[in-house]
Amino acid sequence: MVDVSGKIPYLPERIRGLQRIALNLWWRWNRRARSMLRAIDPVLWSATRHNPVAMLRRVSPGRLAHCASDSEFLAMYDRTIAEFEAALSRTDTWFETTYADADPKRPVAYFCAEFGLHNSIPIYSGGLGVLAGDHCKAASDLGVPLVGVGLLYSKGYFDQKLNLEGWQENSDEVFNPEIMPLVRLTAPGGDLALTSLVTARRPVHIGAWRLQAGRVNLYLLDTNLAENHEEDRQLTYQLYGGGKEHRLKQEWILGVGGVRVLRALGIEPAAWHANEGHASFMMVERLREHLEAGETLEEARHAVRARSIFTTHTPVPAGHDMFSPDDIDAVCSDYWAKGPLDRETFFWLGSHPELDAGRFHMTAAAIRLAARVNGVSKRHQQVTQGLWTSLWPGRDPASLPIGGVTNGVHLPSWMAHRYMELLEGPFGEVWENKHRDPEAWDAALDLDDAEVWRIHLELKKALLKFCREQARVRWIELWKEAAHLVGAGTLLSPEPLTIGFARRFATYKRAHLLFHDEERLRRLLTDPRRPVQLVFSGKAHPADDDAKRVLQHVWRLTRDSRFGGRIAFVEDYELHVAHRLIQGVDVWLNLPRVPMEASGTSGMKAALNCVPQISTLDGWWAEGFNGENGWAIPLSEGTDDEVDAQDHDALFTILERDVVPMYYERDDEAMPRRWICMMKHAMRAAGAHFTTERMVREYAEQCYVPALSGKVEGDDPPPV
Ligand SMILES: *Cc1c(COP(=O)(O)O)cnc(C)c1O
C-alpha cells in the first residue's frame, strides 16, 4: 500500500535503516538520534534546518560511504536503530502497564485543524498546532494508542516578510512533500481517493497522507485530486485561508471526511477527541452513523457522547467558530436531504439559546455531543463554565460538567540537549521516560550553578548567532536592501539582559504595552551600566490589520536610533525560531489581557530551559507562578485602557526594581547567584507540572480510558 523507495534514492546497505529514521519524526525528540543525523553532514544539517529527508537527498555518496565504514558513526547509528526499534515495539509503556485490559487495536482518534510537529511541515499556525503535535509525541512515549486526523495544507500557512514600511506581506510557503516524511495512502485498487462526501451539492473526493511520530500515525486529508472540481481541489490548500464558507467546508472535510477516511483505512477508534471546535462535525457524522443503524436520536446521542472528548481553547465568545444558516444550508444540505439526520436536529445541535440565535455554533455542538469537556487550565475551566452556563439554565457555573486539563509541552522536544545531559547526573543516562515523579524535579535545585550558567550563556550566544545568520540569508534571498539588517538582531550583544517576546501578534497579547511610554522604555534599554535588549518575533493573522499595525510599530522601534539597536524583530516565527528564542533569552515575557489567554505554552518551553517568565496572572501562570520561578503582574481592574495603564506600570516597576538589579548582581566569581536560583526554580516547576507527559496522562486517566470502555457515569448533558 505504501511505497517510499523514491524518497531517499541512495543509501549504502550498512546504513539503510536511515530511511526508516528519516521517515518517522521520532528522531526529533531523541537526542542521540539527532546527534547521529547531524554527524552525517553538519553543514547540510544546518542548511536544511534539521530536515533529515532533505539532507539525505543532498548529501554526497562519498560522505555516505564514509559514514558506512566509520566505526564511530556506526556505533551511534546502531544504537539509534536499536532505540528506535525498541521505542516502536515495546510493550511495557506506561499505558500498557497501567491499563493492561485496553484493546490496543481500538485507538483514540485525535482530531485537530492543525499539527505543529516540525518546522519542515508547515501545517500549523501557532499554539494550538504545536500543542497537538506535542500531544501526539507524548502519547507515543506513553504508549497511549492514538491516531491523529488533520488536513494537509499543501500551501502551508504563510511565510512572513515585512516590507520596507514594516507592513507584513504574506507569501505562500515552499511546500514540497518529497522532502517531508509524508507517505501518500492509496485505496486497494491504487486509487488516490479513499472516500468522498458532498459539499455544496458536489461530490468531493478525499485522499490522505500518513505522517509518523513515533508510534502515533497521523492521517492528513487532501482534496487536491484530479477528479475534484478546481474549487474543491483548493479546499485544503491553506490553513485558515479564505472566507467563512471556505472555512466551513474545511471543517466539514476534517470532521465528516476524517471519520470516513478512518473507516476506509479499517481503523476503528473506540474514543474520539476533538481538539477545539473546528473538529465538531466528527461527532455529528458519528451521530448520523448511529441513526442510520436504526437507533433513536436519544440512543444515538448517548452512544456518541459516551465515546467523545472535547477540548475548548478559546476564552472569548467571538473566538468560537459559528456559521450562518445560509452557509450551513449551502455546504451541508445534502446531508439531511438523504436523511436520517434532519435539518431541524442538525441546527438544534449547534444552537445557542442566547448568543447569535439561529447560527450554528461549533462549540455548542461539541458540548452537546461529548460527555467529557475540558478547558486548558484551571482559570480557563472557570471561564469556560461561565461562558456556557446558558446551555444548563439555572445551574451554578461551578457545577457544570466542564473540567480543566492544563496544557503542557513535550519535554524532549523543547529542552536543550545540554540541559538534558546535565540532568543525566541526577536522573541517569536514559531519563526521558523516567521523570514523571514531580518530586524528582527537586533535583533541578541542586544542579551546579556554574554549569547552569555556562550552558545558558552558550545558548544565548547561539541565539545571537542564529539572528545574524538568519539576517544574512534573508538579506541575500529576500530583502536586498541593507536597511532591514539593523532591526533583525545584528546589533544585539551577549552581555545585556535579554527579554524575549514571541507569539502571534493578536492584540490581546498586548505587545504594545512595552512601548506605552517610549521614554521609560528608552531609559531601561540604554542604561550604560545595565542595558536591556528586547527580541520580538511573531506573525499577525493575514486578516488582522490591527495586529499588523502593532507589528509595524515594533518594527519601527527596531530601527529607531533612540533605542540604540537594543530592539530586534526576528521574521517568520515558526518552530525552529521558537526553539532558539525560548532557549537563548534571559527572561520570557507574556502580557495577555486577563482572562484572554486560555493557557499559553511558550513560557513553559522557556522555563524548561531555565528561563524565568514575567507574565500577567493568566492561563497557566495563574497556577504555575510560585514566587520563586519568575514574576507576576498583579490582577488589575477597570476599563481596558485603565487595565493597560496599570499593567504597563506594574511591568516596568518589576523590571526596574527587581529584574534588572537581580540580573546584574554578581558575586566574586562574576556569577548572578540569586538569578541562577530563580532559573533552577523555573526548570523545576515546569519539569514537574507543565509537560505533555503529565497532560496526556491526565487525558488518559480522566477521559480516554473511560471513553474507550464506552461507559459514562452520571452523564449530565445540556438540557437545551
Ligand atoms: C509554543 C508556540 C506557540 C504558542 O505560544 P503561546 O505562548 O501559547 O502564545 C506559537 N507558535 C510557535 C511556533 C510555538 O512554538
Side-chain angles (χ1 to χ4, degrees):
M1 175 159 109
V2 164
D3 176 24
V4 294
S5 51
K7 282 261 172 192
I8 298 164
Y10 168 75
L11 283 171
E13 194 52 39
R14 177 68 176 84
I15 53 174
R16 277 201 71 79
L18 285 175
Q19 166 109 306
R20 268 177 303 145
I21 298 289
L23 291 176
N24 185 322
L25 286 168
W26 172 85
W27 65 266
R28 175 66 196 79
W29 70 96
N30 181 288
R31 61 190 196 281
R32 288 167 293 273
R34 246 160 30 210
S35 303
M36 185 271 292
L37 289 166
R38 179 183 298 108
I40 294 174
D41 187 332
V43 174
L44 271 182
W45 182 244
S46 170
T48 59
R49 292 201 161 194
H50 307 177
N51 177 340
V53 181
M55 178 180 75
L56 290 172
R57 286 164 72 95
R58 283 165 64 185
V59 66
S60 75
R63 179 67 207 153
L64 288 174
H66 174 82
C67 289
S69 62
D70 175 47
S71 59
E72 209 177 308
F73 179 82
L74 289 174
M76 289 199 277
Y77 169 83
D78 289 337
R79 178 166 179 182
T80 301
I81 296 284
E83 276 193 49
F84 177 62
E85 301 294 348
L88 261 59
S89 60
R90 53 190 282 224
T91 52
D92 61 346
T93 59
W94 170 81
F95 188 84
E96 286 157 297
T97 41
T98 317
Y99 302 105
D101 330 329
D103 175 0
K105 293 203 185 60
R106 306 257 355 237
V108 179
Y110 178 85
F111 280 59
C112 190
E114 47 173 305
F115 285 91
L117 285 139
H118 189 256
N119 56 282
S120 67
I121 312 158
I123 55 170
Y124 65 94
S125 78
L128 181 71
V130 177
L131 179 81
D134 280 7
H135 191 112
C136 293
K137 294 173 182 175
S140 172
D141 295 340
L142 292 162
V144 176
L146 186 129
V147 297
V149 178
L151 299 182
L152 185 83
Y153 303 100
S154 54
K155 292 192 187 300
Y157 184 47
F158 68 90
D159 270 339
Q160 179 191 48
K161 183 190 162 202
L162 302 189
N163 69 17
L164 274 173
E165 277 79 51
W167 192 252
Q168 175 177 294
E169 296 180 336
N170 312 329
S171 54
D172 283 350
E173 257 163 313
V174 184
F175 197 97
N176 175 7
E178 287 294 306
I179 58 165
M180 300 178 190
L182 289 171
V183 172
R184 202 188 246 287
L185 302 176
T186 52
D191 218 352
L192 294 183
L194 299 174
T195 187
S196 67
L197 46 63
V198 175
T199 103
R201 300 183 181 84
R202 263 200 311 263
V204 178
H205 302 276
I206 303 174
W209 302 71
R210 193 190 67 200
L211 180 60
Q212 290 181 303
R215 303 159 72 109
V216 169
N217 283 337
L218 242 88
Y219 298 97
L220 299 169
L221 279 44
D222 183 3
T223 63
N224 188 10
L225 302 179
E227 52 265 59
N228 282 336
H229 188 279
E230 182 50 38
E231 265 175 49
D232 298 334
R233 296 185 67 157
Q234 298 179 14
L235 284 176
T236 52
Y237 275 5
Q238 219 173 16
L239 173 59
Y240 305 143
K244 270 282 187 194
E245 189 180 324
H246 181 80
R247 175 132 171 175
L248 173 57
K249 286 181 180 170
Q250 286 189 328
E251 297 184 5
W252 193 241
I253 289 178
L254 174 65
V256 178
V259 173
R260 294 184 186 179
V261 163
L262 291 181
R263 304 280 189 229
L265 293 170
I267 297 166
E268 287 301 327
W272 304 74
H273 187 172
N275 193 38
E276 190 54 312
H278 311 131
S280 302
F281 291 136
M282 166 265 276
M283 302 178 194
V284 177
E285 168 69 359
R286 286 166 42 237
L287 186 75
R288 188 194 63 76
E289 290 178 337
H290 280 277
L291 291 172
E292 204 165 67
E295 293 177 20
T296 65
L297 179 62
E298 207 39 52
E299 289 163 349
R301 185 175 169 214
H302 185 80
V304 171
R305 282 178 59 80
R307 294 191 186 273
S308 297
I309 298 115
F310 171 56
T311 302
T312 171
H313 292 258
T314 315
V316 278
H320 294 258
D321 264 347
M322 51 181 148
F323 298 104
S324 71
D326 286 351
D327 284 346
I328 295 278
D329 276 325
V331 172
C332 318
S333 60
D334 182 74
Y335 211 58
W336 50 82
K338 297 213 178 88
L341 183 59
D342 60 55
R343 183 176 183 276
E344 196 189 344
T345 309
F346 190 98
F347 272 94
W348 169 74
L349 287 171
S351 64
H352 192 294
E354 289 167 353
L355 201 68
D356 287 294
R359 290 176 168 252
F360 189 94
H361 293 248
M362 296 296 277
T363 306
I367 292 176
R368 287 198 177 86
L369 290 174
R372 295 163 191 93
V373 177
N374 71 281
V376 291
S377 68
K378 301 283 176 275
R379 177 183 288 278
H380 182 234
Q381 172 185 8
Q382 292 163 2
V383 171
T384 304
Q385 286 170 328
L387 216 55
W388 298 98
T389 319
S390 55
L391 294 190
W392 286 267
R395 288 264 294 266
D396 171 23
S399 76
L400 300 186
I402 295 177
V405 177
T406 304
N407 283 345
V409 296
H410 186 238
L411 184 148
S413 296
W414 289 103
M415 188 185 272
H417 272 204
R418 284 169 253 212
Y419 286 123
M420 293 183 85
E421 273 159 22
L422 188 62
L423 284 166
E424 284 178 8
F427 289 170
E429 192 190 351
V430 180
W431 61 268
E432 286 93 327
N433 297 320
K434 293 187 195 156
H435 60 267
R436 293 189 194 122
D437 173 14
E439 285 173 21
W441 284 91
D442 290 352
L445 300 183
D446 299 327
L447 293 175
D448 180 58
D449 281 1
E451 285 291 312
V452 169
W453 190 238
R454 185 182 58 76
I455 292 172
H456 176 66
L457 292 183
E458 279 173 22
L459 292 168
K460 191 171 176 184
K461 277 205 196 100
L463 166 65
L464 302 188
K465 180 171 164 218
F466 172 78
C467 291
R468 273 196 306 278
E469 285 310 310
Q470 159 124 333
R472 189 191 316 279
V473 170
R474 292 179 88 81
W475 186 29
I476 297 168
E477 291 177 1
L478 287 176
W479 301 332
K480 314 298 178 199
E481 302 273 350
H484 276 292
L485 287 171
V486 174
T490 51
L491 290 177
L492 299 176
S493 43
E495 294 82 20
L497 168 67
T498 302
I499 302 174
F501 185 97
R503 51 191 37 89
R504 265 184 312 120
F505 267 83
T507 36
Y508 81 84
K509 298 204 182 225
R510 297 193 301 179
H512 61 272
L513 278 200
L514 278 159
F515 35 90
H516 209 70
D517 176 348
E518 291 191 358
E519 178 50 26
R520 196 165 172 189
L521 175 64
R522 188 196 64 75
R523 277 202 309 275
L524 181 80
L525 300 188
T526 60
D527 183 319
R529 287 178 212 287
R530 303 191 303 189
V532 175
Q533 299 176 140
L534 271 173
V535 186
F536 288 93
S537 191
K539 293 174 176 177
H541 186 281
D544 188 351
D545 281 354
D546 286 339
K548 286 187 199 170
R549 273 186 281 279
V550 177
L551 202 166
Q552 185 174 38
H553 195 140
V554 170
W555 182 91
R556 289 206 180 108
L557 298 185
T558 63
R559 55 214 64 207
D560 181 335
S561 60
R562 282 181 301 153
F563 301 101
R566 302 241 186 254
I567 309 179
F569 182 83
V570 180
E571 278 183 19
D572 210 30
Y573 185 48
E574 40 80 297
L575 283 167
H576 194 70
V577 175
H579 273 94
R580 292 286 168 221
L581 282 169
I582 55 106
Q583 293 176 359
V585 298
D586 296 306
V587 190
W588 195 252
L589 181 62
N590 194 14
L591 298 169
R593 175 177 287 129
V594 183
M596 309 273 274
E597 184 86 297
S599 165
T601 50
S602 57
M604 303 174 185
K605 301 168 191 167
L608 278 181
N609 289 284
C610 291
V611 172
Q613 175 173 253
I614 308 175
S615 173
T616 40
L617 281 167
D618 205 10
W620 81 281
W621 203 230
E623 61 203 88
F625 172 64
N626 63 20
E628 295 177 300
N629 60 343
W631 296 268
I633 296 168
L635 292 175
S636 43
E637 279 175 22
T639 63
D640 281 359
D641 285 345
E642 286 162 0
V643 166
D644 280 3
Q646 288 165 45
D647 288 357
H648 166 267
D649 186 58
L651 166 67
F652 275 76
T653 304
I654 290 170
L655 287 169
E656 294 157 354
R657 186 193 61 202
D658 304 328
V659 181
V660 173
M662 189 194 283
Y663 183 80
Y664 282 102
E665 177 189 295
R666 304 295 160 106
D667 70 1
D668 298 344
E669 295 164 77
M671 300 274 284
R673 297 282 171 189
R674 282 206 300 144
W675 185 269
I676 296 170
C677 181
M678 175 104 43
M679 290 171 70
K680 296 199 286 197
H681 274 285
M683 176 189 267
R684 170 177 174 248
H689 300 293
F690 298 99
T691 63
T692 36
E693 288 264 337
R694 189 268 311 143
M695 178 188 88
V696 172
R697 269 186 296 137
E698 282 182 25
Y699 275 111
E701 284 156 5
Q702 297 169 25
C703 309
Y704 295 163
V705 169
L708 284 169
S709 71
K711 288 199 198 81
V712 41
E713 272 164 39
D715 194 15
D716 184 12
V720 297

